[in-house]
Amino acid sequence: MENIVAILSITPVTHDVKCFRLQKPEGYNFEPGHATDVSINKPELKNETRPFTFTALQDAPYLEFTIKRYPDRHGITDKLHQLRVGDELIIRDTWGTIDYKGPGYFIAGGAGVTPFIAILRSLHRQNKIAGNTLFFSNKTAADIIYEEELKSMLGENALFILSKENRAGYLNGHIDGQFLKQHILDLKKHCYVCGPDQMVADLVKNLKDLGADTETVVFEAP
């Protein structure tokens, strides 16, 4: 089912990420971590759909997407970042592969953190965020989405890894098998993984090689 919704606000989050708040259709529901297929309500673009994850909570009076722009691809994210308040998007039924199953490790690369935002916000509101750790990989500190909010929710359990910048207060390097071996101390906990396709495939393999149970690894499939 398609719903046409107007953009209510557009707020910069980082140098290449914006938060879009939209009208919320009556009766439209979703689960934290879930997404919908989105297109721009213009004749030449309405059939060009891309999946985006909801980042606001279910009871908010608006829908929210936090979207990174990839200008070199000249695609939908580039066009979305050129929209203005009042422009319209088309959203569809909700779906998702990342559901919260219990305390564990959230492992994200870049915009791959977006499925975790609503989950963590929901847990924080319910005072149930204890026992969860976030490993969030980016190129530089300027690329980190919602850094201060993640720190306020998770405290010292929010770890930020920078691959192209050495900076005090951040880890430097990549999230790989060696990193997981060093930092994931309880493989019986759930591991939630989302990021670029190759990163996800590699980390899921790394986790299973380390002994994580298949049932405890939850990921956005490449």
Side-chain angles (χ1 to χ4, degrees), residues 110-172:
V113 78
T114 53
F116 303 152
I117 297 298
I119 294 174
L120 294 172
R121 285 174 170 172
S122 178
L123 292 172
H124 184 252
R125 176 189 282 187
Q126 300 174 69
N127 293 316
K128 293 181 178 179
I129 203 166
N132 289 290
T133 299
L134 171 68
F135 301 120
F136 189 8
S137 175
N138 287 274
K139 292 178 181 177
T140 71
D143 298 313
I144 300 174
I145 297 170
Y146 297 135
E147 179 179 2
E148 293 307 315
E149 181 183 4
L150 292 169
K151 285 180 179 177
S152 70
M153 291 193 294
L154 289 155
E156 63 183 12
N157 289 326
L159 286 84
F160 302 97
I161 301 92
L162 307 180
S163 62
K164 293 191 174 182
E165 183 179 22
N166 282 297
R167 190 164 176 169
Y170 301 84
L171 299 175
N172 178 256

Side-chain angles (χ1 to χ4, degrees), residues 13-139:
V13 178
T14 73
H15 63 98
D16 60 359
V17 175
K18 290 181 178 180
C19 173
F20 294 79
R21 289 185 175 176
L22 320 169
Q23 290 176 324
K24 185 176 185 178
E26 185 176 352
Y28 192 87
N29 297 304
F30 63 91
E31 292 298 320
H34 284 198
T36 187
D37 292 317
V38 177
S39 57
I40 298 171
N41 190 28
K42 295 182 179 180
E44 70 278 16
L45 294 171
K46 62 193 310 180
N47 294 318
E48 292 284 334
T49 64
R50 296 293 185 277
F52 293 106
T53 307
F54 301 101
T55 51
L57 298 183
Q58 309 100 303
D59 60 354
Y62 49 80
L63 298 176
E64 180 183 281
F65 300 114
T66 302
I67 300 175
K68 181 174 181 176
R69 182 185 190 186
Y70 299 93
D72 54 322
R73 299 180 188 177
H74 305 292
I76 294 300
T77 63
D78 193 37
K79 292 179 173 64
L80 283 166
H81 272 240
Q82 297 174 42
L83 297 179
R84 298 180 179 182
V85 171
D87 287 336
E88 294 177 336
L89 302 180
I90 303 172
I91 60 172
R92 295 159 178 85
D93 292 337
T94 68
W95 53 270
T97 57
I98 295 186
D99 291 292
Y100 183 69
K101 299 179 182 297
Y105 303 94
F106 289 85
I107 307 168
V113 78
T114 53
F116 303 152
I117 297 298
I119 294 174
L120 294 172
R121 285 174 170 172
S122 178
L123 292 172
H124 184 252
R125 176 189 282 187
Q126 300 174 69
N127 293 316
K128 293 181 178 179
I129 203 166
N132 289 290
T133 299
L134 171 68
F135 301 120
F136 189 8
S137 175
N138 287 274
K139 292 178 181 177

